[in-house]
Amino acid sequence: MAPPIDKRSLPSRRLAIVTGGAGFIGAAISSRLADAFGRVVAFDNLHPQIHPDHTPSDGFDPRVELFEADVTDPAAWDRLLAGGGPDVVVHLAAETGTGQSLTESTRHTTVNVVGTSTMLDALHRNDAIPGRIVLASSRAVYGEGAWRRTSGEGAGELFYPGMRPARMFEAGQWDFPGAEPVAMNGATLERHPASVYGVTKSAQEDLLRLWGDAFGADVAILRLQNVYGPGQTPSNPYTGIMSLFCRLARAGQAIPLYEDGQVRRDFVIIDDVAEAILAVVGAANVPPTPVDIGSGRYTTIAEAARIIADVYGAPEPVVTGRWRHGDVRHAWADPEPALRQLGFTAEVPPEVGLPRLAAWIDGQTPD
Ligand SMILES: NC(=O)c1ccc[n+]([C@@H]2O[C@H](COP(=O)([O-])OP(=O)(O)OC[C@H]3O[C@@H](n4cnc5c(N)ncnc54)[C@H](O)[C@@H]3O)[C@@H](O)[C@H]2O)c1
């Protein structure tokens, strides 16, 4: 649990802008910020893939002002900033489809990279440099991440294997032989993104860091693992694997597991992510290096699928051996830096949180 936000450091006249503030994470964070800031603006274009009915995500607080505009539109930024600059910006607006980003790279790059630079130029042009910018970055910046050799020459050494080649998948060789994966840690590990989406998140980090150093704005980078929970758009087929599993199990189907089902992920519930973001907004000092935000441990896809199948009384999940080129084998956050630097530790383990997601999906789509 993050320490409670120190409201004395957040005078009530202060303005927070949350780009992507009408989305899954944005609705949760902007609502919480409305407790601490005098004015909270959600800068969001209500992207039709996320908001097919053109309304903000579940839980969007009426105290939050929706400023409906595209982050790549300089004139929209000028209109918003004409009323005064923000004290804090939480930057969430993004195209988030990892697989989709390979074939729609212009769209992803435009929103994620040019959208970020458009925001920064506007903040400067309007003499509106905020005290702090918080970026929701992603585990995607690590790609396949770091592995440690367990045997042979160089045992104990870290290496970055890069994307798994097709021949590994075809041979059913899911893990790198003679090695074990390492928890993600932004203070110690390199970035090796393996998707266009990951490249754009990595570029966002660099742009913000460089700009913050130049203009004296604190920049905090949180690299989020797999966020799930109530409010996650059930209609977007490109994100939210747990929502998909819920829908399959609810329909009485066996959840198909890719590879051998032993893919590791770190499923962190939205409430915990919101607390982590609040902790960094209110922290006396921002962490000097990116901080990884997860549930505190990994869960295999098979374990997560079984939790969901049990909720619905669905058949046992089935290992299919199918694979997708570009899928990362294992990903989970080292929880220690977030605890040490932000006092953040996740409260809700997946076995408690995933049934909550299922209950919310049931409420959205009654029989
Ligand atoms: N959900 C996760 O598991 C996860 C994991 C790692 C990082 N992140 C990051 O967190 C952030 C928020 O993700 P989310 O899960 O809430 O996604 P989301 O799709 O629910 O929210 C993104 C919001 O941004 C808005 N948006 C998209 N393009 C825009 C544009 N051009 N102009 C203005 N608004 C635009 C959308 O309408 C949406 O409301 C993203 O930056 C994402 O990269 C999310």
Side-chain angles (χ1 to χ4, degrees), residues 246-253 312:
C246 286
R247 287 201 299 280
L248 290 172
R250 192 164 182 260
Q253 295 176 30
Y312 290 101

Side-chain angles (χ1 to χ4, degrees), residues 22-24 27 46 50-51 55-60 231 233:
F24 169 45
L46 297 180
I50 316 300
H51 307 278
T55 55
S57 297
D58 217 47
F60 187 77
T233 179

Side-chain angles (χ1 to χ4, degrees), residues 20 22-26 43-47 50-51 69-71 92-94 96 111 136-138 197 201 224-227:
F24 169 45
I25 298 173
F43 188 129
D44 199 300
N45 69 347
L46 297 180
H47 191 309
I50 316 300
H51 307 278
D70 194 307
V71 285
L92 304 172
T96 62
V111 174
S137 187
S138 167
Y197 169 67
K201 297 305 288 185
L224 311 181
Q225 294 283 327
N226 282 56
V227 190

Side-chain angles (χ1 to χ4, degrees), residues 164-349:
R164 291 174 289 171
R167 67 180 150 69
M168 272 181 78
F169 290 114
E170 283 156 8
Q173 169 79 64
W174 310 118
D175 288 300
F176 295 98
E180 61 184 12
V182 172
M184 291 167 167
N185 182 332
T188 56
L189 299 186
E190 297 170 9
R191 289 172 280 173
H192 290 273
S195 63
V196 171
Y197 169 67
V199 169
T200 67
K201 297 305 288 185
S202 184
Q204 286 185 324
E205 291 189 5
D206 289 334
L207 281 169
L208 284 167
R209 189 68 87 199
L210 186 148
W211 190 89
D213 284 351
F215 295 112
D218 286 346
V219 170
I221 293 166
L222 298 181
R223 292 181 179 160
L224 311 181
Q225 294 283 327
N226 282 56
V227 190
Y228 72 93
Q232 188 157 36
T233 179
S235 55
N236 183 358
Y238 298 101
T239 55
I241 188 172
M242 287 302 111
S243 302
L244 172 68
F245 281 8
C246 286
R247 287 201 299 280
L248 290 172
R250 192 164 182 260
Q253 295 176 30
I255 297 169
L257 302 172
Y258 277 31
E259 304 185 16
D260 57 355
Q262 296 308 303
V263 169
R264 296 178 191 175
R265 287 292 180 269
D266 188 339
F267 296 106
V268 57
I269 199 162
I270 180 64
D271 310 76
D272 281 332
V273 169
E275 289 303 323
I277 295 175
L278 282 184
V280 82
V281 167
N285 299 302
V286 292
T289 50
V291 179
D292 300 83
I293 301 298
S295 68
R297 63 177 166 86
Y298 63 76
T299 304
T300 66
I301 290 286
E303 288 164 346
R306 183 183 294 258
I307 293 169
I308 291 171
D310 284 351
V311 168
Y312 290 101
E316 277 286 291
V318 177
V319 172
T320 64
R322 288 208 298 267
W323 50 273
R324 283 187 314 193
H325 196 63
D327 271 357
V328 164
R329 175 66 173 162
H330 300 304
W332 78 101
D334 180 340
E336 191 278 330
L339 176 60
R340 182 169 38 81
Q341 297 180 79
L342 299 174
F344 168 78
T345 183
E347 293 259 287
V348 181

